[in-house]
Amino acid sequence: MLLAYFFVKTMNEREPVSIDTAAVHTPVNAPIKNIPRKEPPSPAAPEPIVGQFSEIKACIVTNDEHIPLRMYLANTPQLRKKGLQEVAALPANTGMLFVYNQIRSAESQFWMHNTLMNLDIAYLDGHGTIRTIQQMPSCSSSAEDCPRYQAGVPFLAAAEFPQGFFRKNGVTVGDRLSTDFFSDCQ
């Protein structure tokens, strides 16, 4: 039996998961057919968000349900600074997960400079539990004129979604965002 390993967690906890590939019967030198080719973006078009950030599957665990998510991962200073700037819209159940190496203070701030859509933000503790949720209006003004939004609680990660996501899905403080898609999100 051939086993392939890959990493499913990206928050500094990488756990190998095995996938049984014994059922795959495609010969190694078989020709590849009917694979659609993705055209590269034109030089004038902005780079799609997918090209800048890793994507992970996750879910929000509430008392009543598990909400499957697709999250873009902002886990470096450069990616956290970029965030959702210049992004006009996101598909349903898609957001951005800002991950830090250590707990951030309650005085830490997010801002919406060059962010084109209104966002909800949830600040998460080290277990992914939502500690607080805030709404942040878009801001196309100069950087110094855009308001800053203080977390108000210590946090290890923050999750942004288009505004209204949490209310629409009945997500509240105390619910949990999980990146363990293979157990929590089933």
Side-chain angles (χ1 to χ4, degrees):
M1 177 189 324
L2 175 66
L3 294 178
Y5 290 91
F6 66 99
F7 295 107
V8 296
K9 287 193 176 183
T10 56
M11 293 170 50
N12 296 326
E13 297 177 13
R14 294 186 173 158
E15 294 179 5
V17 173
S18 63
I19 297 176
D20 184 355
T21 58
V24 178
H25 299 290
T26 306
V28 174
N29 58 356
I32 299 173
K33 298 178 183 177
N34 298 327
I35 296 177
R37 292 180 184 234
K38 185 177 178 184
E39 294 297 321
S42 68
E47 183 178 355
I49 190 169
V50 117
Q52 299 172 21
F53 296 90
S54 297
E55 184 179 325
I56 61 171
K57 289 183 178 182
C59 70
I60 292 182
V61 180
T62 71
N63 288 334
D64 301 322
E65 65 181 325
H66 298 110
I67 304 163
L69 305 171
R70 184 172 78 177
M71 302 296 294
Y72 294 111
L73 187 62
N75 59 350
T76 67
Q78 298 82 5
L79 292 175
R80 288 190 294 262
K81 182 177 180 182
K82 175 69 176 162
L84 290 172
Q85 290 181 354
E86 311 288 329
V87 177
L90 288 172
N93 291 10
T94 301
M96 179 161 285
L97 183 62
F98 296 81
V99 181
Y100 298 89
N101 294 329
Q102 59 187 11
I103 298 289
R104 307 285 294 172
S105 77
E107 292 76 32
S108 297
Q109 300 175 342
F110 274 67
W111 70 334
M112 297 289 288
H113 178 61
N114 288 334
T115 304
L116 305 177
M117 62 182 152
N118 298 332
L119 297 175
D120 285 345
I121 187 168
Y123 295 96
L124 315 170
D125 68 15
H127 301 287
T129 302
I130 297 173
R131 303 282 314 280
T132 189
I133 297 172
Q134 298 177 11
Q135 290 73 43
M136 302 186 300
S138 63
C139 183
S140 57
S141 301
S142 64
E144 51 277 347
D145 291 335
C146 288
R148 282 149 172 69
Y149 300 90
Q150 194 172 64
V153 296
F155 63 98
L156 187 62
E160 290 181 343
F161 293 92
Q163 197 165 76
F165 170 83
F166 294 115
R167 185 183 69 258
K168 175 183 154 201
N169 289 288
V171 176
T172 60
V173 170
D175 291 338
R176 188 170 51 86
L177 189 146
S178 175
T179 58
D180 191 358
F181 194 78
F182 293 103
S183 63
D184 284 344
C185 301
Q186 299 302 315

